[in-house]
Each structure stands twice: as structure tokens, then as C-alpha cells.
Amino acid sequence: MLSTQYHSYFSPEEYLEIEDNNPIKHEYRQGLIYAMAGASKAHVIITGNIYRQLDNSLEDSDCIVYTTDMKVRVEAENDFYYPDVAVTGDERNRNYAEKFIRYPCLIVEVLSPKTEAFDREGKFNDYKTLETLTEYVLISQNQMRVECFRRDASGNWIAQTYEQGENVSFDSINFSCPIASLYRKVSLLT
């Protein structure tokens, strides 16, 4: 992430005001504002595929599937992020005046070369503080590979990797689909 800071600290309220009046999306991390990079075609297609699969699967449920334009507020870490996909069924997110959600159960990030390290470490560590988050998913855009991190009853995060020919499952929302569905119309680089 590249900082676009003009001074050393922005309050969350200042960030939200800046974001409301700016055509460029920014993430907010502990008082600093970072412009978001553009996405590759593969990234956009995979994000659309996962959104479509999840939204179709959850059509008759109370869950709402959000894509790249919805911020997730991580209050414990003083952050706002734009995940590629977030799912929530929590009634506390029904305040439609807020331009962010606070209580996702599932967050999906499509990995990009520039953001992969941060998605795996810094962002994941921040997301772990969300009380309702039970699954964090990383999707490769270079190979057919989906990593799902699940919080168990003891609060530990257990990793499961899915690869070509397998079905991907997200327990938090009782979802399953062939991994190939997430990569539909994507030309893999490797």
C-alpha cells in the first residue's frame, strides 16, 4: 500500500468525509489513508464469479453479499478496508445510513502481486479482531488455488487449501461449489 498522507493522522470521521468526496477509493489503517491500486482482468473476473456464486446461493437467506465498493470497519485496529467480497447476516449491519459494515462472517480477497503479503499478514491480523468473522478466504489469480482460514471453537485459525478439481466450501454460510466456477472465463498465468 502506498500512503497518500498529507499529514500524519486522519481521524476515522475525517477519512469517511474524504472518502465521500473523492472518486478514488482509499483504505484507512490506523490513521493513515492509502489509495487503492487498480485490478487486473483476472482479479475482476474472479471477484465477479465469487460474488455471483455466493449471491445466488444465499438468495433466500438473510445474508447479504457485498463486493469491492463496501468498506469493512475494523474498530479494534482503527481500520477501514475494501475487501473483494464480504458476507454478513448480522442484523447490526442493517443500519443503511452507515457506508460500511462491522460484522462480516466471511471475507474474500483475490490476491494481487502488490497486495498479497499485506492480505496474508497485516490485513488478516486486523480482520481476526472481528468477533463475527469465522472465515477468511484468499483466492489466487495465477493458479487454481483457494485458501480458506476458519476460526474454530477455541478461536484458532485452521487453514484448508482447495485446488483444481476440488469443491470449495465455506462453512460459515453453508456454501459449496466447484473451484472451476470461481475461475470461469479466467486465463490462468501458470
Side-chain angles (χ1 to χ4, degrees), residues 102-113:
R102 300 172 192 255
Y103 309 103
C105 60
L106 169 69
I107 291 177
V108 178
E109 295 285 3
V110 178
L111 298 174
S112 300

Side-chain angles (χ1 to χ4, degrees), residues 50-58 65 85 87 170 173 175:
I50 187 69
Y51 171 80
R52 185 173 36 77
Q53 291 289 326
L54 294 175
D55 194 51
N56 287 342
S57 174
L58 298 170
V65 183
V85 175
V87 178
F170 304 147
I173 55 172
F175 170 83

Side-chain angles (χ1 to χ4, degrees), residues 156-167:
N156 298 312
W157 289 87
I158 311 300
Q160 181 170 5
T161 301
Y162 301 97
E163 295 182 338
Q164 188 168 355
E166 297 183 317
N167 280 345

Side-chain angles (χ1 to χ4, degrees), residues 15-16 19-21 69-73 80-82 95-101:
Y15 161 73
L16 290 171
E19 203 63 2
D20 278 348
N21 297 305
D69 286 331
M70 180 54 63
K71 293 178 284 295
V72 170
R73 172 74 165 128
F80 287 91
Y81 293 123
Y82 284 97
N95 178 356
Y96 293 107
E98 289 185 328
K99 296 183 178 179
F100 53 87
I101 61 171

Side-chain angles (χ1 to χ4, degrees), residues 28-140:
Y28 175 86
R29 188 162 197 248
Q30 301 167 355
L32 301 179
I33 296 175
Y34 301 89
M36 294 186 62
S40 70
K41 288 179 182 177
H43 189 186
V44 172
I45 293 168
I46 293 167
T47 300
N49 288 343
I50 187 69
Y51 171 80
R52 185 173 36 77
Q53 291 289 326
L54 294 175
D55 194 51
N56 287 342
S57 174
L58 298 170
E59 185 175 45
D60 296 326
S61 77
D62 290 335
C63 289
I64 299 173
V65 183
Y66 293 99
T67 58
T68 58
D69 286 331
M70 180 54 63
K71 293 178 284 295
V72 170
R73 172 74 165 128
V74 185
E75 289 185 68
E77 298 300 318
N78 196 23
D79 301 328
F80 287 91
Y81 293 123
Y82 284 97
D84 290 309
V85 175
V87 178
T88 181
D90 195 303
E91 285 295 319
R92 295 173 289 179
N93 284 313
R94 301 287 183 191
N95 178 356
Y96 293 107
E98 289 185 328
K99 296 183 178 179
F100 53 87
I101 61 171
R102 300 172 192 255
Y103 309 103
C105 60
L106 169 69
I107 291 177
V108 178
E109 295 285 3
V110 178
L111 298 174
S112 300
K114 291 181 181 177
T115 64
E116 181 173 356
F118 183 64
D119 287 345
R120 287 185 178 285
E121 297 293 325
K123 195 179 277 191
F124 186 26
N125 285 331
D126 291 346
Y127 282 149
K128 287 177 184 178
T129 67
L130 294 168
E131 67 181 52
T132 57
L133 186 69
T134 56
E135 286 180 302
Y136 182 59
V137 177
L138 299 175
I139 301 179
S140 172

